[in-house]
Amino acid sequence: MLFRRQPRSTVTSNPAGAGIYAELARWIPPERLVLDHSELKVYECDGLPLHKELPGAVALCASRQEVIAVVRWCNEKNVPFVPRGAGTGLSGGATPTARAVVLDLNRMNRVLHVDLQNRYAVVEPGVINIKLTHEVHADGFHYAPDPSSQKACTIGGNVAENAGGPHCLKYGMTTDHILGLEVVLPDGETARLSGPLAENSGYDLAGLFVGTEGTFGIVTEITVRLVPNPESIRTFLAIFPRMNLACRTVAEITRQGILPAALEILDQLTIRAVEASVFKAGYPQDAAAVLLIEIDGLDAGMDEEEQKIRQIAKENEAIEFRTARDETERLKLWKGRKGAFGAMGRVNTDLYVLDGVVPRTRLENVLNEVYEIAKRHGVTLANVFHAGDGNLHPNISYDGRDPDERSRVLLAGREILEACVRAGGSISGEHGIGLEKMDFMPLCFTEEDLQLQKDLRRAVDPRNLSNPAKIFPDSKSCVEVGKRHATLVPL
Amino acid sequence: MQEAPASDHLSALSLSPHEHAFYGSEARIVAPDSYEELETIVRDAERERRHMIPAGLGAHAYLGNPPPGNVLVVSLRKLNRILRYEPGDFTVGVETGLTLSELRATLEANGQEIPLDLPSAARGTVGGLVAAAPSGLRRGRHGPVRAYVIGAHALRGGATRYKTGGMVVKNVAGYEVMKFLTGSLGTAGPIVEVNFKLRPLPERRAAHVAVFQDPDAAWRFADNLRSRGREPAAIWVLNDEARRQAPRMLESLNGDGVAVFWLFEGQSGRVAWQESQAGSILDEQAPSRHSAVSGSELDLLIDFLADFDSPGAGPRVDLAIAKLSALPNQIRHVQDEAQRVVLEAELAPATACDVLSGLVTLRWSPRRDATEANGLDRPIADLGRTLLAQQGTGTLLYLPPQVRQSHNYLLTPDANASLARRLLKVFDPNSVFCPEKLLGPGP
Ligand SMILES: Cc1cc2nc3c(=O)[nH]c(=O)nc-3n(C[C@H](O)[C@H](O)[C@H](O)COP(=O)(O)OP(=O)(O)OC[C@H]3O[C@@H](n4cnc5c(N)ncnc54)[C@H](O)[C@@H]3O)c2cc1C
């Protein structure tokens, strides 16, 4: 079932008329210019199917020059534009504004330069995340940020969302791995922000641009840090009879100053969904929670670290503590975790993936609240999350054809994020705000906080053309938080 | 401006030696007790178009292009509380007037740290740390200051208070305004609170120094340690002049030649193994001296290195300091070129190179006769050229107060200055926060 948002006042209207997009053929060859209604439908949303909108045109750009040409044309015609990577975003960031031009960047997929001595690479935005690692792995390096979608998502999309992933616990988020950017600004000018050097002159504009979700223009080249492969990796699965024990294990590991590469928890419903899917990983289906632990680094000291972790798990009543004996077993354990969203997607017709963060010590309490909220609203909720950094992903499976269930899902989602904020956390740890959470921004920020961000946006994009109507609630919804979902109407 | 609320602070406060030297005799200082008072001060300054500089204890006042005369120094030293600290969360939220030594002591008591080897630890404040964003000894391993700032509360033009980020280690709600504030030298307005993420203190640290008569052998060792050195936390190379400037108590740095300092940290067993591996790499190059450094000598050495990019507590008329950033595999070349340029002016430069980060800190003593060949004009121009040729960047961290005005803080031009100025206007529409401090005078 499709849902169409009613037009919003902040959206730049397109006065140009439908036929005008054909003009883009001056710069984009016809086979890479999508104008046909049925083909345009492919681009009407990203990984969040709650919001859908048809773009006016899609330009499958193959070079920076083409990006510049399209952006300039949009400026001339006052048409909004939306950059798009693989469309795996879960907050509606790449969902087009009505009649916008979508710039699909997947064809800009070259690794331009690799400098192993200085540990960096320069890539185009359409490079698939895992492909960069494949490119340098044999030489002893990898690209550390590893969203679970890494086989599909692009590094451009990662930069725009400041994507995370299981190994960000030890290695940091995307922003910690971005050394420099080339950006086509919303007016079509190009800027090079920082580069491979450790320190650059002036303000950290590259740092500011990461995570701006396409609202500061289009990233056309990215200089990323490459990280040496660890000498040794050990992966464990600790199995618990109760969720709180898994959470306590995580808290104690961190408290003891151990910094694992990853600490991921899956709850029972997720385990069962995974085990019933192609992502089957051999997780015990009667466990209340499993904790996937990975440590990596120099071989020396690994035994000691493993011993400490084992002990902590034991003290927290782990029923079993498994060690992946080889790379095949390790990959199998990870397959279950990385395929968890996919597996949950099979439980019902629709899946709503939430993304809240809480301070680590509040994890246990907030999780209890999350389950309680789901129960109260009668929705099917499973949890799979980056426990080490308090990043929750409650997944709600539902039947989107049932309007009553859908509204209960949205209400539960909102209450869960409210609970995260009340606990001192935030409404997004890695998936971004996009369309999904713009009305929730006032939960975290005051009018003044938001005004500053809007002013920054205006300084970069005075005409509000670059991915408009994302991130910030319009002034009406600032007052009436949460009303926007009510304006979703069935087609 | 309305001096009344600040009048008693005026009598109790005085400018730091650096503030006095670099801001001129007309500069005045106020230290608000509360956020409200700070807001009043900013509002008044804006109304009167009077330049103001947010400050802590004035330890870094020499950084940046000097402000116009008659500047008002707004010291946040009285806003110095630890506001939020739950060790289990590995985050801390503090007011920016808190001294670094106080913050460090609190964190250490809980087995935690911000791994930045805060320079001038005893003197500076948290605000100065964030605004100046110094590199830190272990930058190559742990990253820059900005990697640890997860949230901030600050004031912008119109005395509007705002918050950015939060108190969680992972957070993508809204723009990362902290990135713009970190390293802004206060030009985006006063930062009043900062939230940091923390790391556990390493179980063990093991530091070593080797001195080599042959500079090539020293660099070969440093390079080998970088490429197969088993995750060192820091590798620094000090030229002979830098080595000689170290306090005499640092016996490990005695002898002649180029010194290499390296550090491992973490779990005890692992560190012992790393040390022995580094020992084998060292054996290939035959140093004239090698010592393990620990205890108070290590503290002293870390202080010496962390303070290498600063003139100390007071201004010096005979010192220039530049920081150059290059690709790690070009660091020696850039260092050699920089040395040559300064030597051409017949001065002996001291260099300290952070090998993992590709950063060269260069100190030299310009002669006092203020002629063309005073040891500044030519080396500075040549350093700029050298950096451009190597695609490096650099800043003139310190120049004697009397000549600071004649040289831009940035040794290499910022290609995005106009975009940066557009953004800066959002924070400072009336240009009262000394916008020229970082980028130089506008077009
Ligand atoms: C199964 C699954 C698992 C996931 N797991 C994770 C996870 O572990 N961690 C995580 O962080 N995310 C995860 N995600 C979310 C998503 O994959 C990330 O947000 C990813 O960064 C999006 O990349 P993309 O190429 O698909 O971008 P898109 O979805 O196409 O776009 C995302 C945003 O970036 C903008 N954008 C894209 N390219 C550019 C560019 N070149 N310049 C400027 N703006 C641009 C778009 O306008 C949009 O706002 C997951 C998603 C799925 C479906």
Side-chain angles (χ1 to χ4, degrees):
Chain A
M1 185 149 195
L2 300 180
F3 297 95
R4 185 201 281 155
R5 284 186 309 110
Q6 286 179 340
R8 296 165 55 78
S9 56
T10 50
V11 175
T12 313
S13 69
N14 172 14
I20 197 163
Y21 300 102
E23 284 181 24
L24 288 166
R26 275 162 59 197
W27 300 281
I28 308 293
E31 68 278 12
R32 290 198 277 108
L33 186 61
V34 181
L35 298 171
D36 178 76
H37 183 268
S38 60
E39 288 179 55
L40 288 174
K41 279 183 78 68
V42 175
Y43 295 89
E44 66 185 359
C45 69
D46 60 4
L48 178 81
L50 274 169
H51 306 272
K52 295 188 180 182
E53 193 75 71
L54 266 195
V58 177
L60 309 174
C61 296
S63 68
R64 180 206 314 135
Q65 286 70 22
E66 288 182 358
V67 171
I68 294 172
V70 174
V71 168
R72 289 207 172 133
W73 181 87
C74 287
N75 269 268
E76 213 175 278
K77 306 294 179 193
N78 203 29
V79 170
F81 56 89
V82 178
R84 182 181 177 103
T88 67
L90 291 169
S91 55
T95 298
T97 304
R99 307 171 71 77
V101 173
V102 168
L103 291 96
D104 178 319
L105 302 158
N106 287 285
R107 277 162 185 73
M108 294 178 69
N109 58 4
R110 289 173 304 163
V111 175
L112 299 171
H113 178 64
V114 173
D115 181 340
L116 296 179
Q117 276 196 45
N118 294 304
R119 301 181 178 181
Y120 75 90
V122 183
V123 301
E124 289 186 321
V127 170
I128 304 285
N129 175 300
I130 192 102
K131 288 223 166 123
L132 177 57
T133 288
H134 287 161
E135 188 107 352
V136 295
H137 200 264
D139 294 312
F141 288 86
H142 69 287
Y143 175 60
D146 63 337
S148 302
S149 52
Q150 69 182 147
K151 285 185 183 156
C153 66
T154 64
I155 297 184
N158 297 165
V159 168
E161 298 287 8
N162 188 12
H167 291 83
C168 290
L169 174 61
K170 177 170 177 180
Y171 293 99
M173 301 279 285
T174 296
T175 186
D176 298 310
H177 296 269
I178 301 305
L179 298 168
L181 297 174
E182 178 194 80
V183 187
V184 172
L185 295 168
D187 61 0
E189 290 298 309
T190 307
R192 278 192 165 274
L193 314 174
S194 302
L197 302 178
E199 290 196 2
N200 294 278
S201 311
Y203 298 89
D204 179 14
L205 299 187
L208 179 67
F209 267 63
V210 174
T212 49
E213 303 191 20
T215 61
F216 275 26
I218 299 179
V219 174
T220 47
E221 199 181 285
I222 306 153
T223 306
V224 300
R225 229 157 48 87
L226 296 176
V227 176
N229 295 339
E231 185 178 84
S232 177
I233 303 176
R234 292 191 195 178
T235 308
F236 316 108
L237 190 75
I239 298 157
F240 292 93
R242 290 200 307 280
M243 172 60 86
N244 63 345
L245 297 170
C247 292
R248 281 176 206 171
T249 304
V250 169
E252 187 56 22
I253 289 173
T254 324
R255 200 195 61 76
Q256 290 200 16
I258 303 169
L259 185 60
L263 281 172
E264 302 282 311
I265 291 182
L266 291 83
D267 74 357
Q268 189 172 58
L269 198 54
T270 311
I271 295 170
R272 289 184 178 169
V274 166
E275 290 305 307
S277 76
V278 290
F279 305 106
K280 192 170 164 53
Y283 302 152
Q285 299 198 41
D286 53 346
V290 293
L291 169 62
L292 189 59
I293 307 161
E294 189 156 280
I295 52 175
D296 71 6
L298 295 169
D299 203 26
M302 276 283 176
D303 288 343
E304 193 187 322
E305 210 155 271
E306 174 176 343
Q307 217 28 61
K308 278 190 189 164
I309 292 172
R310 245 177 216 286
Q311 186 58 29
I312 296 168
K314 193 172 158 206
E315 280 163 13
N316 284 289
E317 300 170 43
I319 311 167
E320 200 187 327
F321 191 88
R322 293 185 194 164
T323 305
R325 275 167 304 180
D326 53 28
E327 186 62 7
T328 315
E329 277 194 20
R330 174 178 168 258
L331 292 178
K332 192 170 169 199
L333 287 181
W334 273 111
K335 189 176 167 192
R337 166 60 188 92
K338 295 221 170 183
F341 291 166
M344 282 302 299
R346 294 164 26 112
V347 172
N348 209 330
T349 57
D350 295 80
L351 179 70
Y352 186 22
V353 179
L354 282 149
D355 169 40
V357 206
V358 295
R360 296 176 234 231
T361 51
R362 306 297 303 277
L363 203 54
E364 198 182 316
N365 288 347
V366 174
L367 265 179
N368 287 339
E369 241 184 291
V370 167
Y371 286 118
E372 150 58 27
I373 290 167
K375 201 165 147 201
R376 190 153 22 88
H377 291 287
V379 296
T380 310
L381 179 143
N383 271 300
V384 47
F385 54 102
H386 311 299
D389 30 39
N391 187 185
L392 293 171
H393 289 317
N395 294 320
I396 310 182
S397 307
Y398 67 103
D399 182 349
R401 293 163 301 193
D402 175 350
D404 172 59
E405 186 174 11
R406 192 172 50 84
S407 58
R408 279 185 285 119
V409 168
L410 290 173
L411 226 83
R414 183 187 165 84
E415 285 182 23
I416 287 169
L417 294 178
E418 282 173 345
C420 291
V421 174
R422 263 200 314 277
S426 165
I427 56 173
S428 182
E430 54 181 23
H431 294 168
I433 302 303
L435 279 171
E436 180 204 2
K437 291 181 184 166
M438 45 204 260
D439 289 341
F440 299 163
M441 286 287 270
L443 295 177
C444 291
F445 298 110
T446 64
E447 290 255 16
E448 287 77 19
D449 306 339
L450 290 172
Q451 193 56 49
L452 171 82
Q453 297 183 39
K454 287 194 245 180
D455 289 350
L456 287 171
R457 176 182 182 157
R458 197 167 304 125
V460 179
D461 182 14
R463 301 181 63 191
N464 196 27
L465 292 179
S466 191
N467 211 2
K470 304 280 166 68
I471 301 181
F472 303 109
D474 56 30
S475 38
K476 182 168 146 276
S477 57
C478 265
V479 184
E480 286 180 273
V481 180
K483 280 280 163 69
R484 199 171 55 82
H485 288 304
T487 67
L488 294 170
V489 290
L491 262 183
Chain B
M1 76 166 273
Q2 186 191 337
E3 300 279 8
S7 56
D8 40 1
H9 309 313
L10 282 172
S11 55
L13 274 172
S14 55
L15 295 166
S16 77
H18 283 306
E19 285 167 342
H20 202 268
F22 286 89
Y23 299 165
S25 53
E26 291 169 32
R28 319 210 35 200
I29 183 165
V30 288
D33 283 308
S34 65
Y35 294 180
E36 291 68 31
E37 202 179 327
L38 175 63
E39 282 167 19
T40 307
I41 291 167
V42 171
R43 216 171 286 126
D44 290 349
E46 284 193 297
R47 204 183 50 235
E48 295 172 12
R49 302 274 155 148
R50 181 172 181 177
H51 285 95
M52 55 163 285
I53 289 188
L57 297 175
H60 295 110
Y62 54 84
L63 290 173
N65 299 304
N70 193 25
V71 72
L72 181 69
V73 176
V74 181
S75 170
L76 303 185
R77 67 188 67 180
K78 293 187 180 169
L79 304 174
N80 56 10
R81 290 170 300 169
I82 294 176
L83 300 169
R84 302 169 281 273
Y85 184 31
E86 168 53 67
D89 290 335
F90 280 75
T91 56
V92 68
V94 301
E95 288 180 333
T96 50
L98 184 74
T99 61
L100 296 174
S101 45
E102 221 172 303
L103 174 60
R104 185 153 72 175
T106 307
L107 300 180
E108 278 180 7
N110 288 286
Q112 298 182 334
E113 66 165 352
I114 306 169
L116 298 169
D117 308 296
L118 318 170
S120 318
R123 297 190 294 275
T125 60
V126 167
L129 173 78
V130 173
S135 301
L137 190 71
R138 292 173 288 165
R139 187 195 197 289
R141 176 102 180 116
H142 294 292
V145 175
R146 73 183 188 108
Y148 293 88
V149 178
I150 56 170
H153 292 242
L155 239 65
R156 63 162 168 152
T160 316
R161 214 189 300 169
Y162 67 90
K163 170 194 130 175
T164 162
M167 269 302 274
V168 274
V169 294
K170 220 174 162 190
N171 187 0
V172 297
Y175 298 151
E176 291 226 13
V177 182
M178 302 86 78
K179 296 284 193 283
F180 192 85
L181 301 180
T182 306
S184 66
L185 295 182
T187 56
I191 308 166
V192 281
E193 292 175 25
V194 177
N195 304 333
F196 292 101
K197 71 175 177 194
L198 308 172
R199 290 184 80 99
L201 270 177
E203 191 177 295
R204 193 178 153 225
R205 283 191 308 184
H208 292 253
V209 172
V211 180
F212 299 78
Q213 247 140 32
D214 173 9
D216 289 340
W219 279 101
R220 263 198 308 275
F221 169 61
D223 283 345
N224 288 342
L225 201 55
R226 182 172 86 89
S227 53
R228 37 187 187 101
R230 314 312 202 167
E231 303 183 2
I235 308 173
W236 284 65
V237 175
L238 307 183
N239 76 354
D240 195 35
E241 185 61 31
R243 191 192 49 71
R244 269 193 264 136
Q245 289 179 9
R248 294 239 44 92
M249 285 108 80
L250 281 176
E251 286 182 15
S252 52
L253 285 177
N254 289 347
D256 274 333
V258 174
V260 181
F261 160 81
W262 68 100
L263 176 76
F264 292 110
E265 63 180 20
Q267 193 199 86
S268 300
R270 190 170 282 159
V271 168
W273 182 85
Q274 288 169 306
E275 278 186 286
S276 77
Q277 293 285 307
S280 317
I281 298 173
L282 180 65
D283 289 343
E284 295 163 15
Q285 305 301 335
S288 55
R289 284 175 66 102
H290 168 215
S291 27
V293 189
S294 58
S296 58
E297 190 182 358
L298 178 57
D299 292 341
L300 197 64
L301 180 56
I302 288 178
D303 274 356
F304 169 66
L305 288 173
D307 261 344
F308 197 80
D309 64 1
S310 118
R316 305 248 315 254
V317 292
D318 58 346
L319 180 67
I321 307 176
K323 184 158 71 170
L324 320 177
S325 187
L327 288 174
N329 72 346
Q330 284 165 21
I331 186 172
R332 180 171 186 200
H333 179 65
V334 167
Q335 185 235 219
D336 285 352
E337 281 296 293
Q339 266 190 148
R340 188 182 56 74
V341 158
V342 177
L343 275 169
E344 266 174 13
E346 292 169 34
L347 304 161
T351 61
C353 301
D354 175 350
V355 175
L356 295 178
S357 305
L359 295 170
V360 182
T361 309
L362 182 75
R363 292 166 73 104
W364 76 97
S365 298
R367 284 192 293 273
R368 285 164 195 242
D369 53 330
T371 62
E372 186 272 328
N374 67 354
L376 279 176
D377 295 356
R378 219 176 63 205
I380 287 173
D382 288 350
L383 277 178
R385 271 193 288 276
T386 305
L387 285 171
L388 285 177
Q390 301 300 321
Q391 299 183 331
T393 60
T395 42
L396 277 172
L397 285 183
Y398 183 83
L399 285 181
Q402 71 276 15
V403 293
R404 179 73 265 191
Q405 197 80 55
S406 342
H407 299 277
N408 202 340
Y409 179 64
L410 299 182
L411 268 168
T412 42
D414 181 350
N416 299 303
S418 74
L419 177 59
R421 285 199 170 91
R422 241 153 71 197
L423 291 163
L424 199 54
K425 272 275 171 216
V426 170
F427 296 91
D428 184 19
N430 297 309
S431 302
V432 294
F433 300 136
C434 303
E436 63 290 334
K437 221 174 174 217
L438 188 49
L439 296 177

